[in-house]
């Protein structure tokens, strides 16, 4: 059953947040860096580094030279020798760039995701195929590399939220003042809510989510609830819910 009070709140917050001023150094978000390039490969790098303090994420992303993706692997190894971010040591950052460069030479990310998604309109099938493809391109198994790219989940219960990938899909599929909408083959109604601590806590407080564990099953549960508000674009509420929690409004 639709809770119209919550829906009205979220619709108002959605309208308020849907503007470019939400992405600035006063309100840092990795999407602000990704939008400078309008490139699906650079956007993936930005999205997968999106953990931790937002200001520090943006500061690190600003330090990266994404034109290295067009350079030789030898140049990448030399130029990134002193770059690191939290769990990713310099060698991990190098391996990440090498992997994305190889991915770029293989196919578009959209095509890789779509080839598995199209069978049952499952964005998770698309995600597992993307991760499997990525991990086939580079043999690294360090903690920093594994944390960055993750591995496919065997089941929803107990699986991580895959928030960074699901957020990336939102950036790529949806088109508004925030999201880039670079892809055309995947339907936004099939997206799944990217769930972080802020979104999880707010959703629990306002009664959108009953599940007590912040995991992939909770992401699916919240998505299904939001489909009662908009069955064709349930993830449009993601940024509004995130800001409501981040800014301690709810």
């Amino acid at each position: 059953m639709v809770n119209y009070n919550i829906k009205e709140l979220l619709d108002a917050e959605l309208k308020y947040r849907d503007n470019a001023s939400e992405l600035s150094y006063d309100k840092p978000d990795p999407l602000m860096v990704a939008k400078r390039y309008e490139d699906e490969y650079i956007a993936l790098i930005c999205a997968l580094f999106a953990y931790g303090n937002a200001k520090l994420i943006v500061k690190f992303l600003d330090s990266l030279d994404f034109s290295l993706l067009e350079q030789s692997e030898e140049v990448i190894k030399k130029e990134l020798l002193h770059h690191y971010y939290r769990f990713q040591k310099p060698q991990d950052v190098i391996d990440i760039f090498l992997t994305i460069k190889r991915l770029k030479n293989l196919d578009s990310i959209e095509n890789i995701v779509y080839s598995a998604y199209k069978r049952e309109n499952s964005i998770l099938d698309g995600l597992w195929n993307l991760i499997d493809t990525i991990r086939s391109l580079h043999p690294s198994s360090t903690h920093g590399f594994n944390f960055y790219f993750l591995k496919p989940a065997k089941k929803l219960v107990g699986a991580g939220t895959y928030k960074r990938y699901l957020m990336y899909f939102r950036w790529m599929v949806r088109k508004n003042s925030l999201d880039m909408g670079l892809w055309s083959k995947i339907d936004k109604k099939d997206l799944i809510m990217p769930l972080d601590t802020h979104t999880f806590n707010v959703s629990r407080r306002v009664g959108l989510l009953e599940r007590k564990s912040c995991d992939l099953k909770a992401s699916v549960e919240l998505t299904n609830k939001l489909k009662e508000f908009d069955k064709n674009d349930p993830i449009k509420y993601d940024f509004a819910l995130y800001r409501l929690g981040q800014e301690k409004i709810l």
Side-chain angles (χ1 to χ4, degrees):
M1 182 179 295
V2 175
N3 184 325
Y4 287 100
N5 289 333
I6 298 301
K7 185 179 186 305
E8 288 174 7
L9 169 67
L10 290 181
D11 283 336
E13 193 68 19
L14 172 66
K15 185 177 180 180
Y16 172 68
R17 300 291 181 177
D18 186 19
N19 65 81
S21 65
E22 282 296 315
L23 303 176
S24 67
Y25 284 102
D26 291 328
K27 294 183 176 184
D29 189 282
L31 179 54
M32 65 183 277
V33 180
K35 282 178 73 83
R36 292 177 199 156
Y37 301 92
E38 296 283 320
D39 178 279
E40 62 172 354
Y41 304 97
I42 294 174
L44 182 60
I45 293 174
C46 292
L48 296 186
F49 272 118
Y51 71 95
N53 179 276
K55 287 186 177 180
L56 295 180
I57 296 168
V58 170
K59 182 179 179 181
F60 175 73
L61 294 177
D62 277 343
S63 76
L64 295 174
D65 179 2
F66 294 108
S67 70
L68 288 172
L69 294 172
E70 307 299 331
Q71 302 296 318
S72 69
E73 296 196 357
E74 289 71 25
V75 171
I76 289 173
K77 292 174 184 178
K78 178 182 176 182
E79 294 299 319
L80 292 175
L81 200 55
H82 303 292
H83 283 71
Y84 61 91
Y85 176 74
R86 295 194 72 190
F87 301 147
Q88 283 78 43
K89 298 176 181 179
Q91 186 58 52
D92 294 320
V93 177
I94 290 169
D95 290 340
I96 287 164
F97 266 70
L98 292 178
T99 302
I100 299 298
K101 175 180 173 60
R102 293 170 187 174
L103 183 67
K104 191 170 184 177
N105 291 334
L106 178 68
D107 201 350
S108 75
I109 299 174
E110 180 179 18
N111 284 343
I112 293 167
V113 173
Y114 179 72
S115 66
Y117 158 87
K118 66 181 180 181
R119 291 193 290 268
E120 297 182 2
N121 290 345
S122 169
I123 197 65
L124 289 180
D125 286 346
L127 173 56
W128 308 147
N129 191 51
L130 174 60
I131 294 176
D132 281 338
T133 302
I134 285 171
R135 298 189 69 87
S136 73
L137 297 173
H138 200 287
S140 178
S141 60
T142 65
H143 172 68
F145 190 86
N146 285 336
F147 180 89
Y148 186 82
F149 285 120
L150 302 178
K151 295 180 180 180
K154 291 181 170 43
K155 56 184 180 179
L156 293 185
V157 178
T161 63
Y162 291 83
K163 175 253 180 178
R164 292 170 291 149
Y165 278 108
L166 297 179
M167 178 182 70
Y168 170 72
F169 290 160
R170 192 201 87 208
W171 293 359
M172 293 296 100
V173 174
R174 298 192 70 257
K175 177 67 175 176
N176 61 2
S177 296
L178 301 174
D179 297 325
M180 291 182 278
L182 300 182
W183 293 357
S184 61
K185 297 180 180 180
I186 292 169
D187 196 318
K188 60 188 177 184
K189 70 178 177 59
D190 297 319
L191 295 175
I192 294 175
M193 176 62 77
L195 199 61
D196 71 351
T197 302
H198 297 301
T199 310
F200 175 76
N201 290 336
V202 169
S203 297
R204 292 260 307 155
R205 278 196 289 270
V206 301
L208 291 173
L209 184 59
E210 294 183 3
R211 187 165 178 78
K212 296 179 180 179
S213 299
C214 186
D215 57 12
L216 189 55
K217 188 171 182 180
S219 292
V220 173
E221 179 186 316
L222 179 56
T223 303
N224 289 335
K225 184 65 178 179
L226 292 172
K227 284 182 179 179
E228 296 178 14
F229 296 175
D230 189 337
K231 65 180 181 179
N232 294 317
D233 190 14
I235 308 308
K236 71 182 184 182
Y237 297 108
D238 176 33
F239 199 80
L241 282 167
Y242 167 70
R243 285 290 199 227
L244 286 169
Q246 184 195 43
E247 296 178 5
K248 297 181 172 58
I249 298 171
L250 286 179

